Amino acid sequence: MKTSPQPQWPSEDMLGPVIEALPEPVFVIDAETHALAFNAAARALAPALRLGEPLSRSLRSPDMLDAAMRVVAGGEAEKAAWVERLPVERWFEAHIAPVRFPGSRTAAMISLRDLTEAHRVERMRVDFVANASHELRTPLASLLGFVETLQGPAKNDEKARDRFLGIMREQAQRMARLIDDLLSLSRIEQHMHVRPVEAVDFTVLVAHIVDTLMPMAEENGVPLALDLAPNVIVPGDRDELARIVENLIENALKYGCAEHASQPVEISLARSGASAVFSVRDHGPGIPQEHIPRLTERFYRVDAGKSRAKGGTGLGLAIVKHIVLRHRGRLVIESALGEGALFRVTLPAA
């Protein structure tokens, strides 16, 4: 009677090529949680990790490391959650299983499944429902009220009908802008963990946006002063970078202009070491210090009435902040009452 052949477990020499073919981050550790092997996806996630070093030096997740210790000590396979906080928040599910090598050496394999997209989609759904229901309630109630009036008391009042239809058009446009901004913010958040890499000529982009906003500047009676360094190239998404420039300049023209001042809005772009620095400075009324930390929150407004009157949705700076974070940059806001405001965006340069 023939005996079935014993399974041949892979040797440590074979392990590297095997896990290198896997798309998810994979780490193999010994009984002391020292790294025996890891693949390219794991190197991208923990670039400081070296072979033979404890995994805890690069992956700071006590729950996952405790589970790995139990598995490598002879326990059954386990799952653990792991959250990476920097540079952006990412969620992983760790699958930890024992690995057998020829001889008596024990090890465990940790494979990480990226749950970031699922978490972001769920959070986007919840945020969209909460924010949309709050912000859409007022214009929607206004529209319904005017429709009922036009169907009832003002049915035959031509003058009232024309006036009400104008107001209804403004409210509908407000809702359309709000929905567009919410969808833009959701799309940016959905891809927050994916850094754009396309080379964009930021100098040409800023000059183009300034040209398109020149009619708005002339309408507000505010000159634009440009100081753009040539050939500033940044890795990024061109449409999103254009949104940064457009939102910051529009904000300066709408809210950063003193009533009788003719001082220009200053727009500059410069290289600083390995960074590109884009800034917009106005000489308007300024922003009280207590408001500055909250300016990039969704729907936060220093003056809600003035913002809505000028067509603002309360999402412009939130969109700017999320785009800057996705590009691994930094947004700084400096202001004081009566001294205008400075919005500065620093991005990695190519």
Side-chain angles (χ1 to χ4, degrees):
M1 181 173 130
K2 291 184 179 180
T3 59
S4 58
Q6 292 295 314
Q8 296 296 311
W9 298 102
S11 67
E12 292 183 53
D13 293 337
M14 295 170 56
L15 190 61
V18 171
I19 66 172
E20 199 67 44
L22 299 175
E24 298 89 5
V26 176
F27 302 86
V28 180
I29 58 172
D30 63 13
E32 287 75 39
T33 74
H34 294 148
L36 298 177
F38 44 89
N39 62 1
R43 283 192 291 275
L45 184 66
L49 184 64
R50 300 290 180 267
L51 289 176
E53 288 186 352
L55 201 61
S56 57
R57 288 188 182 179
S58 297
L59 302 183
R60 303 191 181 279
S61 174
D63 291 343
M64 184 185 72
L65 293 172
D66 288 346
M69 294 277 289
R70 290 192 295 270
V71 171
V72 81
E76 298 292 325
E78 292 191 29
K79 290 183 182 180
W82 177 47
V83 180
E84 177 77 6
R85 300 293 182 187
L86 296 172
V88 292
E89 225 173 22
R90 297 178 69 181
W91 291 266
F92 294 93
E93 183 179 64
H95 295 253
I96 308 159
V99 177
R100 296 183 186 177
F101 291 118
S104 59
R105 191 170 187 184
T106 58
M109 180 180 291
I110 304 171
S111 62
L112 300 178
R113 181 182 167 210
D114 195 340
L115 301 179
T116 304
E117 192 72 12
H119 275 264
R120 291 194 187 281
V121 168
E122 177 60 20
R123 192 158 68 181
M124 274 168 28
R125 184 187 68 80
V126 173
D127 286 350
F128 181 85
V129 171
N131 293 331
S133 62
H134 174 74
E135 287 292 323
L136 292 173
R137 186 178 293 116
T138 300
L140 188 57
S142 177
L143 279 175
L144 290 172
F146 284 125
V147 168
E148 291 172 0
T149 303
L150 289 173
Q151 289 177 332
K155 182 188 297 184
N156 299 316
D157 189 336
E158 187 173 336
K159 190 173 181 180
R161 183 175 67 237
D162 291 342
R163 184 166 65 89
F164 289 167
L165 286 174
I167 298 173
M168 291 168 68
R169 177 183 175 85
E170 291 176 1
Q171 296 298 325
Q173 289 173 336
R174 176 184 165 190
M175 287 195 291
R177 286 193 301 270
L178 181 61
I179 291 170
D180 286 343
D181 280 354
L182 280 169
L183 290 174
S184 295
L185 192 55
S186 296
R187 282 192 294 268
I188 295 163
E189 286 185 324
Q190 187 173 356
H191 301 289
M192 183 69 78
H193 62 291
V194 181
R195 182 177 179 178
V197 294
E198 178 189 354
V200 177
D201 190 326
F202 207 16
T203 304
V204 172
L205 180 63
V206 173
H208 172 70
I209 298 300
V210 169
D211 285 343
T212 63
L213 293 177
M214 197 62 73
M216 181 180 180
E218 292 172 354
E219 182 181 340
N220 289 340
V222 181
L224 299 178
L226 297 184
D227 181 13
L228 307 181
N231 304 318
V232 177
I233 310 298
V234 299
D237 181 299
R238 191 179 191 281
D239 290 339
E240 290 185 0
L241 292 174
R243 195 72 184 270
I244 291 176
V245 177
E246 186 177 54
N247 281 6
L248 292 182
I249 298 176
E250 278 190 354
N251 276 359
L253 293 174
K254 287 179 180 177
Y255 313 115
C257 304
E259 289 186 7
H260 303 292
S262 59
Q263 289 181 293
V265 169
E266 299 166 11
I267 302 163
S268 68
L269 175 64
R271 283 290 297 262
S272 177
S275 301
V277 182
F278 171 71
S279 63
V280 177
R281 180 177 184 81
D282 65 64
H283 297 276
I287 305 165
Q289 287 296 313
E290 64 269 21
H291 293 291
I292 291 177
R294 301 192 61 190
L295 284 178
T296 56
E297 293 180 14
R298 299 179 194 198
F299 302 110
Y300 186 82
R301 300 174 173 96
V302 176
D303 185 337
K306 184 177 179 181
S307 173
R308 291 191 178 100
K310 291 181 177 289
T313 62
L315 292 170
L317 288 177
I319 290 172
V320 168
K321 182 191 75 171
H322 281 75
I323 294 174
V324 170
L325 288 176
R326 185 181 177 225
H327 286 73
R328 307 301 187 262
R330 190 161 59 101
L331 171 65
V332 175
I333 304 171
E334 299 174 3
S335 184
L337 277 176
E339 297 181 11
L342 171 67
F343 293 81
R344 182 169 57 245
V345 172
T346 303
L347 299 170

